[in-house]
Amino acid sequence: MRIRPGRPNELPESTRRSRRWSRLRPDYPRRGRRGLRRWLPSWRQLLGGALLGTVALTGTAAWIYLHTEIPRDLNSFATQQNNVYFWADGTEMARTGLVNRQEVPLDSVPESVRWAVLSAENADFYSDSGISAKGIGRAVFTIGTGGATQGGSTITQQYVKNIYLQQRQTLSRKVEEAVIAVKLDRRLSKDEILAGYLNTSWFGRGSYGIERAALAYYGKHASELGPSEGAFLASTLRGAGLYDPAISPENRKRAVERWAWTLDRMVQTGHLSAAERAAYTEFPEPKRPAPHTGLGGQTGYLVELARSYVEGNGGLTAAQLDLGGYQIHTTFDRARTAALAKAVEEQGRQLDPEHRPADQNVRVGAASVGTDGRILALYGGPDYLKQGFDNANASNVPAGSAFTPIVYAAALDQGVQLRRGGARTPVSPGTPYDGDDGVNVMTPEGPYWARNGKIVTVANDGRRSYGRIGLRTAVEQSVNGPMLQLGMDVGLEGVRRTALDLGLLPASLGEAVPAFSLGNSRPSTIRLAGAYTAFADGGRRTDPYSVSRVTRNGAQLALRLPAAAQVLRPEVARQVDEALRGAVQSGTAGAARVAGPQAAAKTGTAADRTAGWFVGYSGGVSTAVTVFRMDPKTMELFALEGLAGAASTAPDWAHPAAIWAAYAAARD
């Protein structure tokens, strides 16, 4: 059959469909063009794409706007609840909370305080639309790149975010916050939004709202605050954990800088005159935070340690914890904690601070850690409500010769290098070293010269000389000289690596000088007890942890728990364990014999006599006890010479050894 030309309806159906599609399909790549021009869209295509994108974006935004509702009760999040802490056996240990919040009308907040907050957070608050495109863009980029969300930029957005503290911040949540902020800005007056923001924001110290913050930091009502105090409180909105001066010297430095910046900013925004600003030259120091009631004795130290662990490993912020409602199950053994406190108190009766200056400002810190990493007990001080400083978690007390088993382990594991660039030589427990007092400390190139231009020499306890002595015997008898030289032969960096592998924190490690091997590092009792668990468990260890699980409203929350790791070869751990058991049976650590034939321990004395230690283990539990004297204001350490009326030549580890033994006897 012949098809007449010019009669498209008589074309085959497939041909007609192809022609219709070709008319609908965009001309891309462009026909009749060559090279790069073939791939460059025409102005019509660009315009069409832009219009299509605008329509799609507008439609999506309109749909989101229409389907996003403002919560009926913006303050419902503030329902007051306790956090409940439990002992390891499931019995209740403590309750903290309620949420510290009290609303005040906006006119009760001085205008200067309001503008301190606005100048620091959102100077254009009274003229903006409730959102900041720049802030939203930054948040979208941060979320998209896997970072944490940042502040909501405008006061309105931050107010909206306050009611979502219980929910994970995602891109969809950020969009929803922005939409609610726009709607809220249209529904409420700016003063109403500002009042809500000031009454729902977290200022730290468990305080929600400007009224409770004023009481927590300055012991006065919000209506009594001045511009200078308001400028400081505005800084805590950036994160009280970074700006509360009571937490750390670094925090205080940041707070002073932010306070000064906020006052300068108030001048720039026209809400503080230059003359008024010039009058504020002294930082308005907040009062010390009041301890929680019901946290007396050791309970407060336990709660603070558990809370810190949850904040670092449970994905919860301090603000979320302050809202309450969590059940925190700890690893603390109630009986062990009571026995440890009793042992400290019993041995403390030997002290007479009223008549002996050497017994003044004495501190005791102690911790028990299981080989599985569970922190079973600690002693942080006489009473948390009277002394908030946790001696068990202190990071300013030198470990002294209690550190030397780590040096011994490093040598057994890595060997020594006696010639620069030469091969490493294995050592054994019987490898002899010079145990005499006063010998030079050597490097591969010769004697080690200190910065003062003098050769560093060995100083054994009591200036005693031992002649040639095996490494195991040196550990058992706590002979410092061989350990000092051994650290140099291993290489201080190698010893440092072993210390880190055993769980000591990098910030606690001392300067890489010969004294490093004799314990110029400052680990807490928790960390040093944890390090010794590797010697007790064949070279395996688990980072110490204080919380086993967290629940809320019956649901278990995510909590990172540490995993066990093989950090030493089993043979090395066995050799260190044998030396520590030898120290109990025939060396300086005889006080641990009360714990049974398998007890292993090491005494420790700081080079400047500012700390005494006793660290040992038995039955799968490692316990470290330290005693030191410290000025409560300057945190300066004093020598222990003459402690408890002992002779000046008495070992500084005698008092912690007695505590360790009394604790072990009570447990048995």
Side-chain angles (χ1 to χ4, degrees):
M1 170 176 147
R2 191 164 66 90
I3 299 176
R4 299 177 189 175
R7 301 289 297 275
N9 289 338
E10 297 180 8
L11 293 174
E13 180 63 24
S14 61
T15 303
R16 291 199 302 272
R17 283 198 304 267
S18 177
R19 287 187 176 184
R20 284 197 298 269
W21 168 247
S22 66
R23 288 195 296 270
L24 293 173
R25 183 176 65 84
D27 183 20
Y28 191 84
R30 300 169 66 190
R31 295 189 298 272
R33 303 290 194 277
R34 295 181 180 277
L36 181 62
R37 294 185 62 195
R38 175 175 170 80
W39 298 97
L40 290 175
S42 67
W43 67 270
R44 292 185 181 87
Q45 291 171 331
L46 289 173
L47 180 60
L51 289 173
L52 183 62
T54 301
V55 170
L57 186 62
T58 302
T60 301
W63 187 90
I64 293 174
Y65 185 86
L66 291 173
H67 288 80
T68 301
E69 298 293 335
I70 298 177
R72 293 182 179 180
D73 184 2
L74 290 174
N75 296 327
S76 61
F77 80 96
T79 301
Q80 296 184 339
Q81 299 182 71
N82 291 119
N83 286 327
V84 185
Y85 293 80
F86 296 93
W87 293 100
D89 63 4
T91 58
E92 184 176 313
M93 181 173 73
R95 288 177 178 261
T96 62
L98 304 168
V99 172
N100 192 8
R101 179 175 179 268
Q102 179 181 340
E103 285 195 20
V104 292
L106 188 62
D107 57 15
S108 292
V109 182
E111 190 171 354
S112 61
V113 176
R114 290 182 242 165
W115 276 108
V117 172
L118 292 175
S119 297
E121 294 293 310
N122 185 188
D124 299 326
F125 168 70
Y126 279 100
S127 60
D128 66 30
S129 62
I131 62 173
S132 165
K134 181 179 179 181
I136 293 174
R138 183 176 64 246
V140 169
F141 174 79
T142 304
I143 296 172
T145 54
T149 58
Q150 300 180 23
S153 293
T154 70
I155 291 293
T156 309
Q157 284 177 265
Q158 292 184 52
Y159 177 35
V160 171
K161 185 178 178 180
N162 283 347
I163 68 172
Y164 290 118
L165 278 173
Q166 297 297 330
Q167 304 189 36
R168 185 178 180 83
Q169 289 294 306
T170 61
L171 182 58
S172 61
R173 174 59 62 198
K174 201 68 185 176
V175 171
E176 187 176 4
E177 286 175 4
V179 173
I180 294 175
V182 172
K183 287 190 170 186
L184 199 66
D185 192 72
R186 295 182 177 181
R187 176 178 296 185
L188 303 179
S189 70
K190 289 290 188 179
D191 280 352
E192 288 175 317
I193 293 172
L194 180 58
Y197 172 73
L198 291 175
N199 280 312
T200 59
S201 291
W202 185 66
F203 289 82
R205 298 194 179 183
S207 300
Y208 280 88
I210 188 71
E211 172 68 8
R212 288 299 176 182
L215 291 168
Y217 286 96
Y218 292 109
K220 60 176 66 173
H221 296 289
S223 60
E224 301 171 305
L225 294 171
S228 181
E229 295 158 328
F232 163 71
L233 290 178
S235 70
T236 64
L237 293 169
R238 307 289 291 184
L242 293 174
Y243 293 95
D244 186 345
I247 295 177
S248 69
E250 293 77 12
N251 270 29
R252 188 182 187 282
K253 180 180 178 182
R254 279 191 291 267
V256 172
E257 291 174 351
R258 184 72 181 177
W259 163 78
W261 177 87
T262 300
L263 290 174
D264 292 340
R265 180 71 173 146
M266 291 177 69
V267 175
Q268 295 172 10
T269 59
H271 296 94
L272 191 69
S273 70
E276 289 173 316
R277 169 65 184 93
Y280 299 119
T281 58
E282 186 175 342
F283 178 65
E285 201 73 49
K287 67 175 187 176
R288 296 293 302 176
H292 295 290
T293 57
L295 299 181
Q298 298 306 302
T299 304
Y301 303 114
L302 303 178
V303 166
E304 284 301 308
L305 188 65
R307 178 187 171 109
S308 176
Y309 188 84
V310 172
E311 288 182 16
N313 298 276
L316 296 175
T317 66
Q320 288 172 311
L321 281 172
D322 278 345
L323 283 175
Y326 297 94
Q327 295 81 46
I328 300 168
H329 299 262
T330 75
T331 62
F332 305 125
D333 183 297
R334 188 172 195 166
R336 286 185 178 275
T337 300
L340 185 55
K342 183 179 180 181
V344 174
E345 291 164 5
E346 286 178 349
Q347 297 304 313
R349 294 175 189 147
Q350 301 177 25
L351 304 177
D352 186 6
E354 292 186 7
H355 300 95
R356 283 197 298 258
D359 290 349
Q360 295 172 358
N361 298 313
V362 173
R363 303 280 187 116
V364 177
S368 290
V369 179
T371 52
D372 58 0
R374 291 176 300 133
I375 302 174
L376 301 173
L378 62 81
Y379 180 87
D383 189 329
Y384 177 77
L385 297 181
K386 298 177 181 177
Q387 177 197 298
F389 183 89
D390 185 355
N391 299 335
N393 208 22
S395 58
N396 65 327
V397 183
S401 48
F403 185 85
T404 56
I406 297 174
V407 180
Y408 184 45
L412 294 170
D413 191 49
Q414 303 171 34
V416 296
Q417 187 179 47
L418 303 180
R419 291 186 298 107
R420 189 73 64 196
R424 300 192 76 85
T425 303
V427 297
S428 70
T431 299
Y433 264 68
D434 191 341
D436 284 343
D437 183 67
V439 300
N440 293 341
V441 175
M442 303 298 292
T443 71
E445 291 77 25
Y448 183 94
W449 292 84
R451 293 170 183 161
N452 61 7
K454 297 181 180 180
I455 295 176
V456 176
T457 59
V458 168
N460 288 331
D461 285 346
R463 310 301 300 192
R464 179 181 172 185
S465 291
Y466 294 81
R468 300 292 285 177
I469 185 173
L471 291 177
R472 172 176 168 171
T473 304
V475 174
E476 293 175 348
Q477 302 299 326
S478 199
V479 184
N480 292 339
M483 293 295 106
L484 187 65
Q485 185 59 56
L486 184 62
M488 299 298 292
D489 293 346
V490 174
L492 298 182
E493 181 56 34
V495 177
R496 175 186 172 86
R497 286 197 305 271
T498 297
L500 293 174
D501 288 342
L502 290 171
L504 270 60
L505 299 177
S508 73
L509 296 184
E511 186 181 4
V513 294
F516 182 74
S517 298
L518 295 184
N520 65 4
S521 298
R522 300 170 185 269
S524 67
T525 59
I526 296 171
R527 285 288 168 173
L528 199 52
Y532 274 51
T533 62
F535 308 142
D537 197 27
R540 288 175 62 82
R541 62 164 293 275
T542 304
D543 259 355
Y545 66 99
S546 57
V547 177
S548 58
R549 62 190 176 99
V550 179
T551 59
R552 193 173 198 274
N553 296 329
Q556 185 161 327
L557 306 184
L559 180 69
R560 287 192 303 274
L561 295 177
Q566 188 76 37
V567 297
L568 293 174
R569 289 184 285 114
E571 175 68 9
V572 170
R574 180 185 63 79
Q575 291 172 330
V576 178
D577 174 64
E578 289 174 348
L580 296 179
R581 280 193 279 159
V584 175
Q585 297 305 318
S586 59
T588 59
R593 291 175 198 156
V594 67
Q598 298 303 312
K602 178 70 179 72
T603 56
T605 301
D608 57 1
R609 301 196 63 180
T610 55
W613 289 77
F614 198 89
V615 189
Y617 52 84
S618 178
V621 177
S622 174
T623 300
V625 181
T626 184
V627 174
F628 57 99
R629 295 178 60 221
M630 184 181 77
D631 185 298
K633 294 182 179 179
T634 66
M635 297 183 71
E636 177 187 358
L637 300 182
F638 305 128
L640 292 173
E641 184 176 354
L643 183 70
S648 61
T649 56
D652 297 332
W653 46 259
H655 195 72
I659 293 171
W660 196 101
Y663 171 54
R667 291 302 304 152
D668 292 341

